[in-house]
Amino acid sequence: MLFIESKNNNLFKEIKKLKEKKYRNQNKQFLIEGLRFVEEAIKNNAKIEKVLYTESFNEKHGDKLSLDSNIEQIVLSENLLKELSFTEKPQGIIAVVSIEKKEMKGGDIVVLVDKVQDPGNMGTIIRTAHAVNASALIITKGTVDIYNDKTLRSTMGSIFKVPIIEDNDLSIIKTLKEQGFKLVVSSLQGENNFFEEDLRDKVIIAVGNEGNGISDEVYLLADKKVKIPMPGDAESLNVAVATSIMLYEKLRQNVIK
């Protein structure tokens, strides 16, 4: 067990850098915070590199953690842990987790998230993809960082359950289409009522940016361009809500086929 007492400690400074996207990408690591989140990481066999906690946390909750011997444990003062924390009242525990490349699972539901920007929306979409047992969640270039602390907290642990794959040039989407997946795009300019579509085969459900919707590049690849009916004449639906509606309609059709 290592004790760090100074913010000038080199290891502490390197860990603190992970609060920035640049260094998360560079080091292929991210931070998670809170007992429940760390427990979820352990339960799902995430690659935890380090666990940092205060002495008071260890006294109260240390017996709840079952950490492998290869995970480095670091004790920090309350003030140092606050410097790593993203919350006003930290619980006293933070972990460094490796970003692992995950392969797409078998199944017939894929979610394509195209340039969604809000961390809360992104986190909710990941949770919903987990709930319907999606094979993968694919994100395009320009989509919010999924390892942003707000996104991570919104996933409620689902970040460890869903394979999330970056597709910067849409080559993965094109390959899936060649394998029989149909790309279903949600758009206010959609040609068909979404609830009239047959979704019982392999589909990619695509949703777009909060303000601009689906990008032209994705729209041109679509096999089905649909709109969710809004008889109340609202201008649009929240993107996370729209994703949930579409994924659960697909699930419903799977159940009754």
Side-chain angles (χ1 to χ4, degrees):
M1 186 178 296
L2 176 66
F3 290 81
I4 296 180
E5 300 177 339
S6 169
K7 64 181 180 180
N8 293 319
N9 178 279
N10 288 334
L11 177 58
F12 177 80
K13 289 193 286 187
E14 287 301 309
I15 294 170
K16 188 176 179 180
K17 286 180 181 179
L18 296 177
K19 296 182 77 172
E20 299 178 38
K21 179 181 179 180
K22 170 185 174 182
Y23 293 104
R24 290 195 292 269
N25 290 341
Q26 181 177 300
N27 296 339
K28 302 298 181 186
Q29 294 176 327
F30 62 101
L31 300 177
I32 60 173
E33 181 173 0
L35 176 59
R36 181 179 175 184
F37 213 159
V38 175
E39 286 177 329
E40 283 291 324
I42 294 169
K43 184 171 72 175
N44 288 286
N45 298 313
K47 190 176 180 182
I48 301 172
E49 301 287 348
K50 299 175 177 63
V51 173
L52 306 97
Y53 47 75
T54 62
E55 288 184 338
S56 60
F57 174 88
N58 193 37
E59 290 170 3
K60 293 178 184 177
H61 306 291
D63 59 339
K64 296 179 182 178
L65 293 176
S66 300
L67 298 175
D68 289 343
S69 58
N70 61 328
I71 298 175
E72 185 175 12
Q73 297 184 50
I74 301 171
V75 178
L76 301 175
S77 68
E78 302 278 350
N79 287 337
L80 287 184
L81 191 126
K82 281 181 181 178
E83 288 200 27
L84 298 179
S85 174
F86 298 99
T87 61
E88 289 185 12
K89 296 180 179 180
Q91 291 184 15
I93 182 169
I94 289 173
V96 178
V97 184
S98 289
I99 297 175
E100 299 180 89
K101 185 176 180 180
K102 294 184 179 180
E103 300 296 327
M104 179 173 156
K105 300 187 294 185
D108 62 359
I109 306 175
V110 172
V111 186
L112 173 60
V113 183
D114 183 29
K115 297 179 173 59
V116 165
Q117 288 295 298
D118 182 79
N121 284 338
M122 188 74 237
T124 301
I125 291 170
I126 292 171
R127 286 177 68 185
T128 308
H130 171 206
V132 301
N133 196 28
S135 301
L137 189 145
I138 298 174
I139 57 177
T140 63
K141 187 176 181 179
T143 300
V144 66
D145 178 19
I146 62 171
Y147 301 108
N148 173 299
D149 67 289
K150 292 179 181 177
T151 304
L152 288 171
R153 279 187 274 126
S154 296
T155 71
M156 296 294 289
S158 292
I159 190 74
F160 303 121
K161 295 285 192 177
V162 183
I164 301 176
I165 302 167
E166 292 185 20
D167 189 8
N168 291 334
D169 59 2
L170 299 178
S171 60
I172 295 172
I173 295 299
K174 291 173 184 176
T175 298
L176 289 174
K177 281 167 59 69
E178 291 171 359
Q179 294 172 356
F181 278 85
K182 299 297 182 185
L183 177 58
V184 180
V185 167
S186 170
S187 168
L188 293 175
Q189 289 74 46
E191 300 157 358
N192 303 316
N193 182 323
F194 172 68
F195 294 111
E196 295 175 354
E197 293 295 328
D198 185 347
L199 305 171
R200 289 174 292 179
D201 293 323
K202 298 188 290 186
V203 298
I204 305 165
I205 300 290
V207 292
N209 176 270
E210 290 88 346
N212 301 317
I214 291 287
S215 64
D216 291 342
E217 296 85 357
V218 172
Y219 195 78
L220 290 172
L221 290 175
D223 298 292
K224 298 180 180 184
K225 299 166 184 174
V226 300
K227 56 186 174 184
I228 299 171
M230 292 183 286
D233 203 28
E235 183 178 324
S236 64
L237 284 171
N238 170 275
V239 65
V241 171
T243 306
S244 298
I245 290 170
M246 296 175 74
L247 288 177
Y248 270 90
E249 174 59 16
K250 162 62 175 167
L251 191 63
R252 185 191 70 83
Q253 292 189 22
N254 280 2
V255 170
I256 65 173
K257 68 180 178 180

